[in-house]
Amino acid sequence: MTDTLAIALAQINPTVGDIDGNVGRILSARAEAAGQGAELVIAGELCVSGYPPEDLVLKRAFLKVIETAVDKLAGVTADGGPGLLIGAPWRDGGRSRGLDRGNDDERLYNATLLLDGGDITAIRFKHELPNYGVFDEKRIFTPGPLPGPVAFRGVRLGVMICEDMWTPDVAECLVESGAEILVVINGSPFETDKPDDRLSPAVARVTETGLPLAYVNLIGGQDELVFDGASFVLGADKKYKAKAAAWKEDLLTTFWKRDRDAWTCDETPIPPGIAEEEAIYQAMVLGLRDYVGKNGFPGVLIGLSGGIDSALSAAVAVDALGPERVHLVAMPSPFTSDESIEDAEEISRLLGCRLDSIAINPAMDAFDDMLAEIFTGHTPDTTEENIQARARGMTLMALSNKFGYMVLSTGNKSEMSVGYATLYGDMCGGYSVLKDVYKTMVFQLCRWRNASKDGAVMPDRVITKPPSAELKPDQTDQDTLPPYDELDAILTCLIEHEMSLDDIAAKGHDIETAEKVWHMLDQAEYKRRQGPPGVKITRRAFGRDRRYPLTNRFTGKV
């Protein structure tokens, strides 16, 4: 039995499928932790494979590489340094159990493995598999039995994997079978209010068991998900004892003492919380940085209109990648105002980015001539407006093909909700940082960013002028849409809360407006299916969080 233990919380940024790279990050964290006197290094959920690996885990070759990598990590611990508690997909206990992995009946688990003294000394499987929102682990993993604690150098650790903490059963089983410290390895993606949502079940488990709890989260972007870190330790008194940084890789070494039969963690300074706007902005920055970096793009291209959405997208891109990797392109038409041209120039100056101007008038004229005969007798309408948007999209894609930069689309969640966007036009792109950000939040983020210590990134006029697509004379968004504060409130009721029209009206909204928005939301489903991926910010992001049929005649009326 020991009376002290030094535990390092290794908040690392793995990449799905990059097994060698992920192992390298784990080993680097272990080496740093050893220098700080750590005896155990804990990393996040499925950190060896990257999280979420999705259907990659159905490939036997992928699992074999992971098992070899875990053997390598176990072998490293023969040096007498820190042990490792890591997450990985694992088949029937894996190689160390000598099973026939060619058997079609073999089972695959989301596992945590304790490595020490050159061997795999314990394996535990995730019991509670999430099957909602972005999570569909029941498709690929088998739920493990309720676990008992694992023994590490005289201490009994009650190990849980992410969702295991959200219900009382696993923690109850662990404390009843002798656990002394609860440890939770996580792949918990960011969304607004998520920090409080994590703390609540953690406090509940500490309250129920009377045990302290160490919570280790991942950091980084993976496709549409962003992991914000913010790993922490709660004492048995339910108070923070230590907390890692949010939004960056971090190694937090904590020092524990046994006092009679209870373990306490020495307190460390707790980083202050941050405002909602800053958290959302950091999520967009990290999501874009990792999507571009992990996929090997040299930089991004952005169509800069002089409007607020493209201005915010450009600011995020510069903060994520640096100005030298952000290429801005203005594409004026006869309907582009002088103000928009001036604002685009000022945005590029403030951001320090290259700005090229490519007028789309020749493309508009060419399409007018090409279609004149077949359009005879038809007055101009949204067809001609969409041609402008598609000319811009084609221009950006030509530049992308020529120079290798990824096009960053700039549409926000309000527009994508109601279909106020053009397929193969302004929806064109490889990624979108505003995809899950409502227009009202776009305004808030721009004001926050302009007031930040890093300085203004756009003229105030960009924030205050009426939003417009500028596809015809004197056009504003409110010609077609309700005011954004009203629109976003109704969309939040429909998307985030699945409210009925009567319930929305009971909140004070005009029922005819709510019905119109409901109809636009459903009608735009086919557009959203063809849009680029983007950073998940809210609890109900478009995509796997919200799956609606393309063909849908339900009107909301009962």
Side-chain angles (χ1 to χ4, degrees), residues 180-182 199 202-215 232-243 254 256 262-267 270:
E180 299 172 276
I181 299 171
L182 296 178
L199 183 60
V203 168
R205 303 296 83 81
V206 171
T207 301
E208 293 155 4
T209 63
L211 299 178
L213 180 148
Y215 180 104
F232 60 85
V233 172
L234 291 182
D237 59 359
K238 302 180 285 293
K239 295 180 180 179
Y240 280 125
K241 301 302 177 184
K243 191 172 184 182
T254 59
W256 299 69
W263 283 89
T264 60
C265 177
D266 290 350
E267 295 188 22
I270 306 300

Side-chain angles (χ1 to χ4, degrees), residues 13 134 146 173-174 193 202 254 271 293 296 367 387 409 525 542 553:
N13 183 351
V134 299
L146 284 168
C173 180
L174 289 167
D193 298 327
T254 59
F367 273 101
I387 284 173
S409 66
E525 186 65 34
F542 291 126
R553 289 193 176 183

